[in-house]
Amino acid sequence: MIDDVDTVTTQKYKLSDIASAFSENPLPKKTLSFGYKLAIFISTIVMIILPLVYLGLIGFFAYGVYHYWANIHPQIPPYEREVVFPIILSVMAVVLCIFMIKPIFAKMPKPPKDLVIPPGDEPVLEELIKQICKRVNAPYPTEISLSRDVNASASLRNGIWSLFKNDLRLTVGLPLIHGLKTQELSEVLAHEFGHFAQGVGMKSTYITRSINFWFLRVVYQRDQLDVWLDKAAANMPDIRLMVIFWIMQILIWCTRAILRVLMWIGQAVSCHTLRQMEYDADHHAARIVGSDVFKQTSRRMNALMIGQQISYNTVNVMWMEKLLPHKLARLTCEETRGIDKEKLDEFIQEQAKAAKAHLFDTHPTDAERTKAVEKLALPGVFHLDGEAEMLIEKSDQYDAIVTKTFFVEECEFDLTQSKLLDDAQMDKRLNESKIRTENMEKWFLDAIGLLCPIPAKEWQFPTFISKEDSLAKIDSLTAQIETHKETLKNELEKLNTANTNMLRACIISDFLEAGLELNDGAFDMKKPTRNNALDLRNKSSSEMGLALQQVNAIQRLLVQRLMLTLVFRTEQNPAIASDVNELIGFICKLTPFITDVQTINIKVTPLIQLLNAVGGQEIPEKSISWIN
């Protein structure tokens, strides 16, 4: 288990602790090459030109209509003038202009609200930030805020209005404060201050990312007018009017095609520069804490991200019980501590296989970043290895506020209908969950679940003969199970993979049936069609059946061992016999419903995916029919 993440601490740092942790050794010089500066300049200019090209196309079509009717049409002799065709072309050009102008005014989604720390409230953290900024030659942030994410970010505080001044915001995820060592958190902060130190580069990044994000939204996001046109084209009683609406939809497609081309050009031009800026910020981080700490921090960040996903799953289960955690960042760290080290290493190694970033990646891979920092072999100038939580006086209060904001504003939970569990209650719940997990591993090796339920008839007491006979049978079954462990692991992996593919096929099939269009490559299918989805579903069903046969054979051994053990314990302590019988009776009643739960799952999962895909938009009529 990862037991070195987030230990409870009551002691806090003093200002003198921060000052003394920085050595007086001068930092290695860090200069930006002319080629790097030139790349930033060219990338920014190209990104600014792309929207201007788009505006130019709008002006070209609009001027074309004006020029024809103002200059060309009057010069055509009256007996040669054709009116209908020019009018149709003009209307189409005007409609095209309208739909090209429409994305310009597309509303940006509101970012989640973060908790702003008032200046002076956290003097130790502010002192650390001040010292790092001083050494990397970065401006001190105007605002420091806390978020729920396993991440930190540097940004312009007021967007475009902060472009021409040092008005910067530093956002730090609370799970980092609860789950990292002080030196590791300092590495993350130094990376962000490395972006601050980039000055013009950071502001050009803001422009680049904003334009890229705008292109991405207007290409792929549908709005109310798009949905209305789909309905009108499908329900128009007059074929002539229907053709007109079809032409308008073709024009919308043309608009999106133009935007898509510009988007890919922008991505191709900007992503290389963005990756170089990440390398530069990593260099700043290594100068502060050293190259060795960088790799260690990367591993911890990966663990915390996995822990956060587990914590969200925990929250989903708790919400169904009308319970919620009081502190989400604390829960993330608790779940992170429960991650098996071997599984974490497997995950990191799997990530490392993607050793090189692709053309359209904005960040280098972890492997590339770690390799680049290791080459620098920097010792660092800051060394303080206590828990990062010791930097902040009111970390628990902040965690509670950020958690409540997330539940109310982002999840839209009604907290009056739920109970928030305090630290002791959450610890008890997590400990009980841990015991259940350990028992499942001990007795069933993760071989019981919704995917592989054991038939009810297997849950029957064997006859107790003697203590020695029972122990001998238990040992014999244990030895048989040991020989099948590797087979069981492989078959469970096949079962999970096949189930994932089955759900993927169901999602694709139901999306198409609901009238939604899928691009090639959607849901990792090269060509998403109903036939391809049906083939994948049939193949997955066959693979699940074969894997389940193997798993069930080993499950029977596992259950036999459990039942023998229960008989043995019941003979030793007759008082528990009624409880054991009640539990087995409950299992026998529950088992027949497992198939129904699986059937519901392959319907509910596509439904949730569909609702997420059309979130915030009017759902097409065909999709509503499919949902009903």
Side-chain angles (χ1 to χ4, degrees):
M1 300 293 179
I2 298 186
D3 52 7
D4 55 352
V5 178
D6 187 38
T7 57
V8 177
T9 57
T10 54
Q11 182 183 2
K12 301 294 181 181
Y13 288 129
K14 300 176 182 177
L15 290 174
S16 57
D17 295 328
I18 302 299
S20 60
F22 281 92
S23 69
E24 296 300 325
N25 297 331
L27 281 178
K29 289 185 178 181
K30 176 74 177 71
T31 58
L32 299 178
S33 67
F34 174 77
Y36 178 70
K37 294 178 181 178
L38 181 63
I40 292 176
F41 176 76
I42 293 174
S43 173
T44 306
I45 294 299
V46 170
M47 292 306 299
I48 293 173
I49 288 175
L50 289 177
L52 296 179
V53 170
Y54 187 72
L55 292 174
L57 287 172
I58 297 174
F60 173 77
F61 289 121
Y63 178 76
V65 174
Y66 165 77
H67 180 70
Y68 176 82
W69 291 103
N71 299 317
I72 298 176
H73 189 75
Q75 295 178 11
I76 300 175
Y79 58 86
E80 293 183 3
R81 288 178 184 173
E82 171 63 43
V83 178
V84 177
F85 188 64
I87 288 177
I88 292 175
L89 288 178
S90 298
V91 169
M92 291 174 63
V94 170
V95 171
L96 181 59
C97 287
I98 291 172
F99 277 93
M100 290 182 74
I101 292 171
K102 179 170 66 79
I104 297 174
F105 300 100
K107 291 183 179 179
M108 296 290 286
K110 291 183 179 179
K113 289 184 179 179
D114 295 326
L115 176 64
V116 177
I117 301 178
D121 269 26
E122 296 294 343
V124 177
L125 177 64
E126 291 173 19
E127 178 63 21
L128 175 63
I129 291 172
K130 179 182 176 182
Q131 292 293 338
I132 296 176
C133 286
K134 177 182 175 182
R135 282 162 174 79
V136 300
N137 195 28
Y140 188 85
T142 308
E143 183 178 278
I144 302 170
S145 63
L146 301 173
S147 75
R148 62 177 175 82
D149 297 317
V150 182
N151 196 13
S153 63
S155 60
L156 302 179
R157 189 168 69 97
N158 290 313
I160 193 171
W161 306 111
S162 300
L163 270 176
F164 303 104
K165 53 184 177 180
N166 286 327
D167 185 17
L168 307 173
R169 175 194 289 121
L170 172 69
T171 302
V172 184
L174 272 167
L176 304 185
I177 293 171
H178 285 279
L180 296 181
K181 301 285 188 181
T182 304
Q183 203 171 2
E184 294 165 345
L185 178 63
S186 299
E187 184 269 309
V188 176
L189 296 178
H191 174 92
E192 300 307 325
F193 297 140
H195 287 306
F196 283 0
Q198 289 165 343
V200 174
M202 180 183 174
K203 294 173 181 179
S204 73
T205 301
Y206 169 79
I207 296 171
T208 297
R209 290 185 185 277
S210 298
I211 294 173
N212 275 337
F213 184 61
W214 178 81
F215 275 129
L216 190 68
R217 286 184 61 248
V218 297
V219 167
Y220 292 109
Q221 183 171 308
R222 292 160 58 85
D223 58 19
Q224 299 276 1
L225 186 55
D226 295 318
V227 175
W228 177 81
L229 278 174
D230 286 344
K231 287 184 177 180
N235 301 322
M236 196 62 60
D238 191 319
I239 187 65
R240 291 168 296 182
L241 292 174
M242 189 181 293
V243 169
I244 292 175
F245 277 91
W246 284 344
I247 292 172
M248 292 173 69
Q249 287 182 303
I250 292 172
L251 294 176
I252 294 173
W253 181 88
C254 292
T255 302
R256 294 186 187 278
I258 293 169
L259 283 165
R260 187 177 285 109
V261 170
L262 295 176
M263 178 190 73
W264 287 119
I265 293 172
Q267 287 280 82
V269 169
S270 63
C271 285
H272 174 75
T273 302
L274 292 176
R275 291 195 297 272
Q276 295 307 309
M277 295 184 75
E278 291 300 319
Y279 283 129
D280 180 68
D282 288 344
H283 193 166
H284 282 290
R287 292 166 70 219
I288 296 296
V289 299
S291 298
D292 291 339
V293 174
F294 185 92
K295 184 176 182 179
Q296 174 183 319
T297 306
S298 177
R299 188 176 189 276
R300 284 222 180 188
M301 291 280 283
N302 276 309
L304 284 169
M305 284 188 280
I306 297 171
Q308 186 171 60
Q309 289 303 314
I310 298 172
S311 71
Y312 288 159
N313 292 335
T314 301
V315 168
N316 286 334
V317 173
M318 292 178 67
W319 174 243
M320 290 188 285
E321 302 173 37
K322 298 302 179 184
L323 301 172
L324 287 172
H326 187 51
K327 299 170 186 172
L328 197 52
R330 183 179 185 274
L331 174 61
T332 293
C333 295
E334 291 293 337
E335 297 287 16
T336 301
R337 287 218 301 268
I339 298 172
D340 186 88
K341 285 187 176 182
E342 291 183 2
K343 291 182 179 178
L344 176 61
D345 290 336
E346 287 178 9
F347 173 78
I348 293 173
Q349 289 171 7
E350 193 66 28
Q351 279 193 324
K353 290 180 181 178
K356 192 172 182 180
H358 299 295
L359 177 64
F360 297 109
D361 289 338
T362 59
H363 285 62
T365 64
D366 284 350
E368 287 177 312
R369 296 172 70 170
T370 301
K371 186 177 180 180
V373 169
E374 285 178 342
K375 283 183 179 179
L376 299 173
L378 295 171
V381 296
F382 177 73
H383 304 282
L384 190 61
D385 200 37
E387 300 298 325
E389 201 173 4
M390 296 167 64
L391 291 164
I392 294 189
E393 291 288 339
K394 297 178 283 189
S395 57
D396 285 341
Q397 295 178 37
Y398 297 144
D399 194 357
I401 294 171
V402 169
T403 298
K404 185 175 181 180
T405 302
F406 170 63
F407 287 153
V408 172
E409 296 189 4
E410 294 189 56
C411 299
E412 298 182 351
F413 289 163
D414 181 2
L415 298 187
T416 61
Q417 303 296 319
S418 301
K419 178 183 178 182
L420 291 173
L421 301 187
D422 59 26
D423 293 349
Q425 292 168 325
M426 276 304 304
D427 287 342
K428 180 181 178 182
R429 182 185 177 92
L430 292 173
N431 187 54
E432 290 173 350
S433 176
K434 180 181 177 183
I435 291 172
R436 287 195 298 271
T437 302
E438 289 175 349
N439 286 336
M440 284 290 291
E441 175 64 28
K442 176 181 179 181
W443 289 103
F444 301 113
L445 307 177
D446 289 332
I448 291 182
L450 290 180
L451 298 180
C452 43
I454 294 177
K457 64 181 181 180
E458 299 294 335
W459 295 92
Q460 296 177 2
F461 271 137
T463 304
F464 180 80
I465 302 175
S466 67
K467 176 180 177 181
E468 292 75 14
D469 182 67
S470 295
L471 290 175
K473 286 185 176 180
I474 291 171
D475 290 340
S476 173
L477 287 167
T478 300
Q480 292 180 60
I481 291 166
E482 285 293 327
T483 63
H484 290 89
K485 267 188 175 182
E486 194 62 32
T487 301
L488 180 63
K489 178 183 176 182
N490 294 334
E491 295 303 323
L492 286 173
E493 287 180 359
K494 290 179 183 178
L495 190 64
N496 288 328
T497 301
N499 181 65
T500 301
N501 289 333
M502 166 77 80
L503 286 175
R504 190 157 56 92
C506 292
I507 291 168
I508 293 169
S509 178
D510 288 346
F511 266 46
L512 295 172
E513 187 178 337
L516 298 186
E517 295 182 3
L518 295 178
N519 296 325
D520 291 350
F523 298 105
D524 296 325
M525 181 172 279
K526 189 174 181 180
K527 189 73 176 175
T529 65
R530 284 191 178 88
N531 288 337
N532 289 346
L534 181 62
D535 289 344
L536 179 61
R537 184 169 180 170
N538 291 337
K539 180 183 176 183
S540 302
S541 178
S542 175
E543 290 174 349
M544 287 181 70
L546 292 173
L548 198 53
Q549 287 179 11
Q550 296 284 336
V551 173
N552 279 341
I554 304 171
Q555 276 183 328
R556 292 187 179 92
L557 299 176
L558 293 166
V559 174
Q560 287 172 25
R561 183 179 67 164
L562 173 63
M563 300 307 291
L564 278 167
T565 305
L566 288 175
V567 168
F568 183 73
R569 295 299 185 194
T570 302
E571 290 291 335
Q572 288 183 319
N573 184 9
I576 67 171
S578 61
D579 291 336
V580 171
N581 279 321
E582 184 179 345
L583 173 62
I584 293 173
F586 172 74
I587 292 172
C588 290
K589 290 178 181 178
L590 180 65
T591 302
F593 294 103
I594 297 298
T595 304
D596 295 334
V597 173
Q598 291 176 313
T599 303
I600 291 170
N601 186 40
I602 65 174
K603 287 296 181 186
V604 171
T605 302
L607 174 61
I608 293 172
Q609 292 275 2
L610 173 65
L611 294 176
N612 287 336
V614 297
Q617 304 171 44
E618 186 176 346
I619 302 177
E621 192 68 37
K622 190 172 182 181
S623 299
I624 293 176
S625 300
W626 175 84
I627 291 170
N628 291 334

